[in-house]
Amino acid sequence: MRDPERQQLEPEAGSMEAAVGSRLRLALCFLGVFTCYFYYGILQETITRGKYGEGEKQEKFTYALSLVFIQCLINAFFARLLIQFFEKGRVDRTQNWLYAACSLTYVGAMVSSNSALQFVNYPTQVLGKSCKPIPVMLLGVTLLRKRYPLAKYLCVLLIVSGVALFMYKPKGGASGDNHLFGYGELLLLLSLTLDGLTGVSQDHMRAHFQTGSNHMMLNINVWSTLMLGAGIVFTGELWEFLSFAERYPSILYNIMLFSLTSALGQTFIFMTVVYFGPLTCSIITTTRKFFTILASVILFANPISQLQWLGTILVFLGLGLDAKFGKTPKKTSH
């Protein structure tokens, strides 16, 4: 006959093991997302804002199409591996024209945000891209007739206020410039608008075809690779990029690492959503973005004023509150 005390301890031991396993998995997800995208940000700034050559022969990297082409190619390959090992039997019924349409906005958003780094520093780009919930919400209201809780509108107001403070350049400032929008800011605005359209397309695919994340990642990146491949050939950028890489071969190493960290980071994000939900994922990614800005200021000496720090804090406060309180309540079936 078994000891009653031992029988009581066995379930407790099992629950403790499960709790420890869950904490370890959360730590793995946090470190995976944080490390991959932290390094991704450093590599992106190194590639796009680095100086190549010396003196009068110094050059800048201006091949955004080629950079995004390699990134999409590796993302597609990585998604193919994930499907092969984890979702081999799953059938994807999403129509190809939807993937193609989504890819247009997806590519446009990435190319615009990378091109913006020719005109703005990296903290501005990261903060601008952090405003993605705004166009997603606005387009969701206008195109999909979605309804959002009051808390979400208040969070968006915080984000908009923070961005306005960050972008504002008072008269007589160090830059001698009082404009709000330049080429870089306009490219970021375009990127955000296209991000919103991408989000609407993805919501449509999930709602009508129950599209899986790995199939979505694969097909959108395959279509994007085809479009970008045609673009770099017809514009002649391919040959200019290859010539640039021949002069500075280290750029290929950085681009490969940049693309690998992007693909691996997406995998950790999907893992976080599956095991811990979108709220935990939002908290992790928001924390990562803040520390990426901090690292950019320290490592690349990007100056940020006190007013801009206040704007940064408001943006991330809005993002954090949105993750906690701004979720749309699920409809209950009767």
Side-chain angles (χ1 to χ4, degrees):
M1 193 170 177
R2 298 184 65 183
D3 187 352
E5 291 185 3
R6 185 178 177 183
Q7 288 179 321
Q8 185 178 1
L9 287 171
E10 283 178 353
E12 291 179 1
S15 61
M16 287 179 63
E17 287 178 5
V20 170
S22 179
R23 280 195 286 268
L24 287 174
R25 186 181 285 120
L26 178 60
L28 175 66
C29 288
F30 176 82
L31 288 173
V33 172
F34 194 93
T35 304
C36 288
Y37 280 107
F38 188 81
Y39 195 33
Y40 168 91
I42 291 173
L43 287 166
Q44 187 179 36
E45 186 160 12
T46 301
I47 293 166
T48 56
R49 293 183 65 82
K51 305 293 184 183
Y52 302 90
E54 295 179 359
E56 295 181 356
K57 294 184 178 179
Q58 196 173 74
E59 299 179 68
K60 284 186 176 182
F61 182 88
T62 57
Y63 310 103
L65 288 178
S66 301
L67 177 64
V68 177
F69 169 78
I70 297 171
Q71 183 181 356
C72 290
L73 185 64
I74 292 178
N75 281 348
F77 177 74
F78 212 81
R80 179 71 262 179
L81 287 179
L82 290 174
I83 292 171
Q84 185 68 27
F85 286 105
F86 301 108
E87 297 183 18
K88 196 171 182 179
R90 180 167 181 171
V91 178
D92 180 29
R93 294 183 173 84
T94 310
Q95 297 175 3
N96 276 320
W97 72 267
L98 278 173
Y99 282 132
C102 187
S103 298
L104 278 173
T105 56
Y106 174 76
V107 165
M110 287 202 295
V111 171
S112 299
S113 63
N114 278 288
S115 299
L117 286 169
Q118 300 296 323
F119 306 97
V120 299
N121 60 24
Y122 192 70
T124 302
Q125 194 249 30
V126 173
L127 200 74
K129 292 293 285 184
S130 297
C131 300
K132 186 176 176 179
I134 298 173
V136 171
M137 187 187 76
L138 292 176
L139 290 170
V141 169
T142 55
L143 298 180
L144 301 180
R145 306 298 182 189
K146 281 190 172 184
R147 293 184 179 181
Y148 294 95
L150 177 62
K152 180 169 279 291
Y153 292 98
L154 295 176
C155 293
V156 167
L157 180 61
L158 269 179
I159 295 170
V160 171
S161 301
V163 171
L165 283 175
F166 191 92
M167 298 292 189
Y168 177 67
K169 300 176 180 67
K171 291 182 179 179
S175 63
D177 187 1
N178 66 337
H179 72 275
L180 182 62
F181 282 97
Y183 289 120
E185 288 82 2
L186 288 173
L187 284 168
L188 285 176
L189 185 62
L190 174 61
S191 179
L192 283 172
T193 304
L194 293 172
D195 273 334
L197 291 170
T198 302
V200 168
S201 301
Q202 290 171 333
D203 280 344
H204 180 80
M205 284 187 267
R206 289 192 190 100
H208 292 84
F209 300 97
Q210 292 75 50
T211 312
S213 57
N214 289 329
H215 281 95
M216 187 180 293
M217 180 179 171
L218 170 66
N219 287 282
I220 288 177
N221 280 288
V222 165
W223 276 102
S224 300
T225 302
L226 293 173
M227 293 174 187
L228 287 163
I232 61 177
V233 170
F234 286 119
T235 60
E237 183 179 306
L238 174 61
W239 321 117
E240 293 176 11
F241 169 72
L242 291 175
S243 177
F244 185 90
E246 187 178 359
R247 293 193 297 276
Y248 311 104
S250 63
I251 192 74
L252 292 176
Y253 174 76
N254 285 336
I255 289 175
M256 289 301 293
L257 278 180
F258 167 78
S259 302
L260 286 171
T261 52
S262 169
L264 194 57
Q266 283 190 18
T267 304
F268 279 113
I269 280 180
F270 291 142
M271 187 188 300
T272 305
V273 171
V274 168
Y275 286 108
F276 302 102
L279 172 58
T280 302
C281 186
S282 296
I283 292 170
I284 291 173
T285 54
T286 301
T287 305
R288 189 276 305 174
K289 287 175 182 176
F290 184 83
F291 280 98
T292 299
I293 288 179
L294 188 62
S296 180
V297 171
I298 295 170
L299 296 177
F300 296 94
N302 287 312
I304 291 187
S305 66
Q306 290 182 345
L307 190 65
Q308 287 179 314
W309 273 121
L310 176 60
T312 301
I313 291 168
L314 284 178
V315 168
F316 285 102
L317 178 62
L319 289 171
L321 291 174
D322 178 59
K324 183 68 177 175
F325 303 109
K327 300 302 177 186
T328 305
K330 292 183 179 179
K331 295 179 180 179
T332 55
S333 56
H334 300 284

